[in-house]
Structures are given as structure tokens and as C-alpha cells.
Amino acid sequence: LHFDEVIDVRSPLEFSEDHMSGAVNLPVLSDIERAHVGTIFKQESNFIARKVGAALVSKNIAHHLETHFAGKGKDYRPLVYCWRGGQRSGSIAMILSEIGWATTVVENGYRGYRSHVIETITAKATELSFVVLNGVTGSGKTLLLKELENTGHQVLDLEGIASHKGSVFGGDPVAPQPAQKRFESVIYDFLARFDPTRPVWIEAESAKIGRLNLPNPLWQKMKLSPVIEIVSPLEARAAYLTADYQEWLGDSARVSRTIDRLKEFQARRTLEE
């Protein structure tokens, strides 16, 4: 089916943790409103909570109709979802349908989508063929992946998706790492569109990139895949790393704090040097 737009009506916090890629967030309850209704439900009654929630939802939907939906034509076809395909998505879908728009609600909502993500990653990890690039830090694995992608090859850049270079110094100071579920959703987006008749190039990783865990089926498949070892001269690695970690230069305090995190893995004398 073709949809003109995917609409996530969950609260902004729910949306920020994860969502269908490309979806627009039109919450029918804000984070504060959702918490307020939940408190009434727990402390007073379901009936009172539903009345209060209905008033807030109606107000917010009216705002979306006057703003986001104001310029939509009669052939507009939205796909709507909430947490489990229940009252929040049902409320806005009913109104959009009454206007005359062919509106579809995602069955089981985000929970159904989340299950589909996990099932697809598992299936694609079995179906796809991976070629793993390995090499010591600074050998140019990421550069090679980018060149492969630029020349039309299928590439899964896990460090790019994770916003982390994979080392203790690898956190991106500008773009923080996504939530675990969002990380997995973006991996799903790539795997779902890859051609199984062509190899997928991927960089060797441990089971974690920063604070994010690789989906286990994918990591297990990587360990069984053919590996190409990248060997680069020490001088070239040093020059590449100096440029790649430019933001660290001149911030000796940050460097020292980060080195301290290696105490469990390196001898004290090594860290002091």
C-alpha cells in the first residue's frame, strides 16, 4: 500500500527513543499530559482518566487539524500508529477518516513494528552474505567502507549508525549515541533494503559500540563471515587518527579522564606513559 505520510501520535519522549524512520510526530498527548492522565488512572479511576484524556486528545487533534493537516488535499493517505494501536491512534484516525481521508492504523502499533524489526534483523542476518573488514585502529577500515559505498556497494556502517568510532575515545561530542531501539531500527532499515544476491560490507566490531549492543543474530553472523585484513603503515595510521580525532587535540583533561577508563584493561605503567 502507498501512504503519503506516516504519523506517530505518541508523546515526544516515546518518539525520541524510537520510531518508524520517516515518521512525523504529532502527539495527541504531550509527555506531561500523558503522565498526568496516568496519575489520575492510578490514583483516582479509569473513568475519570478517560474523560480528562479525551479532552486533552481532542484539543491536541484540533491543533493538528488547524496546522499540520490544513493544506492536505482530498487524496491524502496517512498511516497512523501509537504504542499498541489503541485509543490514541484510533482517536485521530477516526477524525481523519470522517474528513474523508483514507486512513490506516498500524495493527498492534509501535509494539507490532518493534517485533517486526527484531524478526527482520534475525531473518536478514541469516539471509545476507557479509564481508568483514578487520584491522588495527587507524588502518582505514571506515575510509574503505565509505569508498565502497560511494562506488555502489552495499555497506552497513555500524559505527556511523551508532554515532561512535568504536574505541574508548570514539564518542561523538556533537551527535550523541541514539537509544538502543533507535539503533536497531536504523539497522533494520538498511538490512530490509539490501539485495541478498550481493555481499554486504561491514566493519569488524565487538558486541558493543560505545554503550550500544549489536543485535546478537547480526554479531553471530559477522563472526562466521569471511574477513579481509587491512594492513596500514604506522605513520599512515598516526596521520589518519590525528586528523580523525582532531577535536581531542588541546583538551588534555578530557584525554586523561578517558584514559582513566582503561584501568581495568591496561597496566598502570602503560596508562601513565
Side-chain angles (χ1 to χ4, degrees), residues 4 23 42 47 112 123 128 192 194 215 254:
D4 296 310
K42 292 177 182 178
F47 176 69
L128 293 167
F194 282 154
R254 181 184 174 204

Side-chain angles (χ1 to χ4, degrees), residues 46-142:
N46 179 29
F47 176 69
I48 297 175
R50 289 169 72 94
K51 280 201 302 181
V52 173
L56 294 170
V57 166
S58 299
K59 171 178 67 76
N60 291 328
I61 292 176
H63 171 72
H64 296 320
L65 288 171
E66 293 169 348
T67 55
H68 182 83
F69 295 107
K72 305 298 183 185
K74 63 179 181 179
D75 296 327
Y76 174 63
R77 295 174 59 89
L79 176 68
V80 181
Y81 71 93
C82 62
W83 171 245
R84 58 178 179 268
Q87 293 176 337
R88 285 186 287 177
S89 57
S91 297
I92 193 169
M94 178 183 68
I95 293 173
L96 297 181
S97 296
E98 285 297 320
I99 291 172
W101 288 319
T103 306
T104 303
V105 175
V106 176
E107 185 177 357
N108 298 320
Y110 172 79
R111 291 198 306 181
Y113 163 75
R114 174 70 181 161
S115 296
H116 175 68
V117 166
I118 300 302
E119 291 168 2
T120 301
I121 289 176
T122 301
K124 287 292 184 176
T126 301
E127 178 185 8
L128 293 167
S129 298
F130 295 94
V131 180
V132 179
L133 299 181
N134 192 37
V136 294
T137 301
S139 57
K141 302 182 294 295
T142 301

Side-chain angles (χ1 to χ4, degrees), residues 168-169 253-266 271-272:
V168 70
F169 293 94
R254 181 184 174 204
V255 172
S256 295
R257 287 195 306 271
T258 305
I259 289 176
D260 285 342
R261 291 165 53 194
L262 294 171
K263 288 178 180 177
E264 297 180 13
F265 309 100
Q266 298 289 340
L271 297 183
E272 288 173 352

Side-chain angles (χ1 to χ4, degrees), residues 147-211:
E147 186 61 26
L148 286 164
E149 188 172 34
N150 290 338
T151 53
H153 292 79
Q154 296 187 139
V155 169
L156 184 63
D157 181 4
L158 292 171
E159 292 184 1
I161 297 170
S163 293
H164 199 284
K165 295 172 183 174
S167 71
V168 70
F169 293 94
D172 190 327
V174 177
Q177 289 196 274
Q180 177 68 35
K181 290 179 180 179
R182 186 70 199 133
F183 177 57
E184 293 170 3
S185 281
V186 178
I187 290 174
Y188 155 80
D189 291 336
F190 278 95
L191 296 183
R193 64 175 179 255
F194 282 154
D195 180 354
T197 66
R198 300 170 56 210
V200 176
W201 296 83
I202 195 168
E203 185 174 340
E205 302 289 352
S206 64
K208 290 177 73 75
I209 303 178
R211 59 174 174 75

